[in-house]
Short mmCIF file of all heavy atoms in Angstrom, two decimals:
data_model
loop_
_atom_site.label_atom_id
_atom_site.label_comp_id
_atom_site.label_asym_id
_atom_site.label_seq_id
_atom_site.Cartn_x
_atom_site.Cartn_y
_atom_site.Cartn_z
N ASP A 7 92.25 109.83 99.62
CA ASP A 7 92.67 108.45 99.24
C ASP A 7 92.60 108.43 97.70
O ASP A 7 91.50 108.61 97.09
CB ASP A 7 91.64 107.41 99.76
CG ASP A 7 91.55 107.46 101.33
OD1 ASP A 7 92.49 108.06 101.92
OD2 ASP A 7 90.72 106.76 101.86
N ASP A 9 93.13 106.02 95.43
CA ASP A 9 92.34 104.90 94.84
C ASP A 9 92.53 104.79 93.31
O ASP A 9 91.56 104.66 92.55
CB ASP A 9 90.87 105.06 95.23
CG ASP A 9 90.62 104.62 96.68
OD1 ASP A 9 91.53 104.57 97.43
OD2 ASP A 9 89.42 104.28 96.94
N TRP A 10 93.78 104.81 92.88
CA TRP A 10 94.11 104.57 91.44
C TRP A 10 93.47 105.59 90.44
O TRP A 10 93.20 105.25 89.34
CB TRP A 10 93.76 103.15 91.06
CG TRP A 10 94.34 102.13 91.99
CD1 TRP A 10 95.61 101.66 91.89
CD2 TRP A 10 93.77 101.59 93.15
NE1 TRP A 10 95.83 100.78 92.93
CE2 TRP A 10 94.76 100.73 93.72
CE3 TRP A 10 92.49 101.72 93.77
CZ2 TRP A 10 94.48 100.00 94.87
CZ3 TRP A 10 92.28 100.97 94.93
CH2 TRP A 10 93.23 100.15 95.47
N HIS A 52 98.70 104.21 100.70
CA HIS A 52 97.31 103.67 100.80
C HIS A 52 97.32 102.27 100.26
O HIS A 52 96.83 102.02 99.14
CB HIS A 52 96.38 104.56 100.01
CG HIS A 52 94.90 104.38 100.16
ND1 HIS A 52 94.36 104.37 101.45
CD2 HIS A 52 93.91 104.16 99.28
CE1 HIS A 52 93.01 104.13 101.32
NE2 HIS A 52 92.74 104.01 100.03
N SER A 79 94.97 102.28 105.07
CA SER A 79 94.66 101.17 104.14
C SER A 79 93.44 101.38 103.37
O SER A 79 92.44 101.95 103.84
CB SER A 79 94.34 99.86 104.96
OG SER A 79 95.26 99.76 106.08
N HIS A 80 93.48 100.90 102.14
CA HIS A 80 92.29 100.86 101.27
C HIS A 80 91.17 99.97 102.07
O HIS A 80 91.54 98.96 102.60
CB HIS A 80 92.56 100.21 99.91
CG HIS A 80 91.44 100.26 99.03
ND1 HIS A 80 90.82 101.37 98.54
CD2 HIS A 80 90.79 99.24 98.34
CE1 HIS A 80 89.84 101.12 97.72
NE2 HIS A 80 89.80 99.81 97.55
N ALA A 81 89.93 100.51 102.06
CA ALA A 81 88.89 99.85 102.77
C ALA A 81 89.13 99.68 104.29
O ALA A 81 88.55 98.97 105.00
CB ALA A 81 88.60 98.46 102.24
N HIS A 157 87.94 111.47 98.16
CA HIS A 157 88.46 110.68 97.02
C HIS A 157 88.47 111.56 95.85
O HIS A 157 87.33 112.11 95.53
CB HIS A 157 87.69 109.42 96.76
CG HIS A 157 87.70 108.44 97.90
ND1 HIS A 157 86.90 108.66 99.01
CD2 HIS A 157 88.49 107.33 98.14
CE1 HIS A 157 87.15 107.63 99.93
NE2 HIS A 157 88.10 106.85 99.35
ZN1 ZN B 301 90.88 103.49 99.26
#
Side-chain angles (χ1 to χ4, degrees):
D7 297 349
D9 282 21
W10 308 274
H52 193 54
S79 317
H80 184 59
H157 296 80

